[in-house]
Amino acid sequence: MSSRLQCPDKPAPMNVEAVLHMKAGIGENSYAQNSSLQKKSSDNLKSLVIDSATRVYERLRPESFTIAELGCASGTNALGVVEDTIRSIGEVCCGRGSSPPEFFVLLNDLPTNDFNTVFSRVPEVTGKLKADAKAEVFLSGVPGSFYGRLFLSRSVHFVCSFNSLHWLSQVPAGLRDDTNTPLNKGKMFISSTSPPAVAAAYRRQFQRDFSLFLNSRAAEVVPGGRMVVSMLCRETEEYTDVKTTLLWDLLSDSLAALVSQGLLEQEKVDACDAPYYAPNAREIEEEVTKEGSFSLDYVRTYEANLSSGDAKRNARTVSMAIRAIQESMLTHHFGAGIIDALFHKYTELVTESMEKGEVKSVQIGAVLVSFILMLTTTVLADSHSVSSNDFI
């Protein structure tokens, strides 16, 4: 009897909207228990979020204020951002001796997301906000892809999205040749061995998706409304920037190890491609300008060295986070039987890279303002490195 782990003979093409979701529940492998890196990266932009939301409120002074969180996932991070935003506006109102507006919060993610883990905390959070900030908060979940319309026209004052827009709406077209042979054999993402056509395909898909995202939000955001978005990014023009590609390469190496052990077939590994792209600041600026609905008020990159401190502890943190995010896609392609073995090997490889100080992460944060009725704008482009203590 073969020792090969069972996985689908012919994996179906991935429908990202139906497949991609963070690991549900609150168990050891869940996203709720393994999203500390995402929380710390969004905390890094906390002052930017508070400032942007407060500016919208002070300018428009609506009786009700609508906040949309796109890519809320299944842990507690989304409600933390919402709570900070509402408290900041409540403080502005208190300082003026006025009552805060009513708040309508729209939490969005893909349909298979575990919204229940988020909703279980809603009574606690809204109760505190009512008691402490005198704020009435009404909350709804909105399942669906943010690469399309989600909300009523001109209904949203403030949009935020953290650690989500690097996920594409689909695996890019153009990753196979005329004979249907994979171009990016042995790799899940752009790597140093990838032919130029692979990087070009990924960039085209990003351009299409990000334009759809902007166009959809343009119909939904009120004039003068703002968006704060962050995503993983590249610092350079090079598609193979090691800070972007290393963790993907290590995952591909982990799959290769299972192939060498006879646990996976090489053909299945060759056919596995990630719906992911890490743009640089210039690409973001170009797409915002080209789409034309928003002005880019601020853009900045943040680098974190994830290798400082206890290499084994940090490697486990990274490995568990990657598993909580990607398990649904990997299970769809390879079957559930390989997951434990895959991430055992992955943790080993990440630990080795941590010990060499190689594992880093770069994200970009941007503020976009609804262009309608805007007369002037300032574009700030900066690059800034922060201590790893700000992330882990």
Side-chain angles (χ1 to χ4, degrees):
M1 180 179 294
S2 171
S3 62
R4 183 177 289 121
L5 297 175
Q6 295 299 309
C7 49
D9 292 333
K10 293 183 178 180
M14 187 192 303
N15 178 344
V16 173
E17 188 169 346
V19 171
L20 177 59
H21 61 84
M22 306 301 100
K23 183 71 172 179
I26 57 173
E28 180 183 1
N29 295 323
S30 69
Y31 182 85
Q33 297 295 330
N34 294 285
S35 53
S36 61
L37 296 177
Q38 292 88 331
K39 182 181 188 305
K40 289 173 182 177
S41 65
S42 61
D43 283 349
N44 199 46
L45 300 176
K46 181 177 176 178
S47 62
L48 198 63
V49 171
I50 290 174
D51 177 71
S52 297
T54 303
R55 285 192 185 191
V56 175
Y57 175 74
E58 290 183 316
R59 180 184 178 191
L60 302 179
R61 299 287 184 86
E63 292 184 0
S64 62
F65 191 88
T66 300
I67 301 167
E69 161 73 11
L70 307 183
C72 66
S74 58
T76 61
N77 294 352
L79 287 179
V81 171
V82 167
E83 186 174 359
D84 291 338
T85 303
I86 292 174
R87 286 186 185 279
S88 69
I89 294 175
E91 289 172 3
V92 169
C93 295
C94 180
R96 292 192 172 129
S98 60
S99 299
E102 293 183 330
F103 293 92
F104 188 27
V105 178
L106 301 165
L107 298 179
N108 157 259
D109 213 307
L110 294 176
T112 50
N113 183 60
D114 175 19
F115 285 97
N116 286 338
T117 299
V118 182
F119 293 157
S120 65
R121 291 192 63 243
V122 168
E124 173 192 352
V125 172
T126 56
K128 286 182 179 179
L129 289 170
K130 185 172 183 177
D132 300 342
K134 311 303 180 188
E136 293 285 355
V137 182
F138 304 91
L139 185 145
S140 293
V142 183
S145 172
F146 49 51
Y147 295 122
R149 286 289 305 275
L150 292 166
F151 315 119
L152 294 173
S153 297
R154 300 290 184 264
S155 64
V156 181
H157 297 91
F158 179 68
V159 175
C160 54
S161 178
F162 303 107
N163 304 299
S164 296
L165 277 163
H166 43 254
W167 293 110
L168 301 172
S169 68
Q170 64 180 56
V171 172
L175 297 181
R176 290 173 177 264
D177 65 17
D178 293 339
T179 65
N180 203 35
T181 301
L183 295 175
N184 204 27
K185 290 185 177 182
K187 299 294 183 180
M188 301 176 64
F189 181 57
I190 304 166
S191 75
S192 59
T193 62
S194 302
V198 170
Y202 272 99
R203 183 175 182 182
R204 284 194 303 270
Q205 187 64 48
F206 166 76
Q207 291 171 328
R208 173 184 176 275
D209 282 348
F210 195 56
S211 179
L212 279 173
F213 174 84
L214 294 172
N215 187 256
S216 299
R217 303 295 80 76
E220 298 162 351
V221 175
V222 303
R226 289 181 175 240
M227 297 197 296
V228 175
V229 301
S230 74
M231 67 193 87
L232 296 176
C233 72
R234 306 191 318 274
E235 289 182 305
T236 70
E237 293 294 323
E238 296 296 324
Y239 293 107
T240 55
D241 182 345
V242 69
K243 296 171 188 175
T244 302
T245 61
L246 177 62
L247 291 175
W248 286 105
D249 284 339
L250 295 180
L251 193 56
S252 294
D253 291 346
S254 300
L255 290 168
L258 297 191
V259 172
S260 68
Q261 296 169 35
L263 302 178
L264 272 182
E265 296 175 355
Q266 184 64 51
E267 291 79 6
K268 287 189 172 66
V269 175
D270 291 343
C272 183
D273 299 295
Y276 170 94
Y277 185 77
N280 58 29
R282 182 183 59 78
E283 289 172 311
I284 295 290
E285 293 170 10
E286 285 180 352
E287 293 308 311
V288 171
T289 301
K290 187 190 306 181
E291 197 280 331
S293 299
F294 293 89
S295 62
L296 187 60
D297 192 58
Y298 177 95
V299 60
R300 189 174 187 177
T301 58
Y302 301 82
E303 179 183 312
N305 180 357
L306 304 181
S307 299
S308 62
D310 187 328
K312 289 185 178 180
R313 178 180 64 83
N314 292 341
R316 176 173 169 77
T317 297
V318 169
S319 180
M320 293 293 284
I322 298 296
R323 176 171 180 166
I325 295 166
Q326 296 198 34
E327 183 169 335
S328 63
M329 294 184 294
L330 293 167
T331 298
H332 170 79
H333 190 86
F334 296 109
I338 71 155
I339 299 301
D340 287 342
L342 174 63
F343 280 97
H344 177 77
K345 183 62 179 179
Y346 187 63
T347 302
E348 289 181 354
L349 296 181
V350 174
T351 301
E352 292 174 6
S353 293
M354 286 282 187
E355 290 171 343
K356 298 174 184 177
E358 298 173 337
V359 183
K360 295 177 171 59
S361 175
V362 183
Q363 72 166 169
I364 192 166
V367 179
L368 298 92
V369 185
S370 179
F371 198 72
I372 301 172
L373 301 182
M374 295 297 294
L375 299 179
T376 61
T377 186
T378 301
V379 177
L380 300 176
D382 189 15
S383 180
H384 176 63
S385 295
V386 295
S387 165
S388 61
N389 291 329
D390 291 330
F391 286 77
I392 59 174

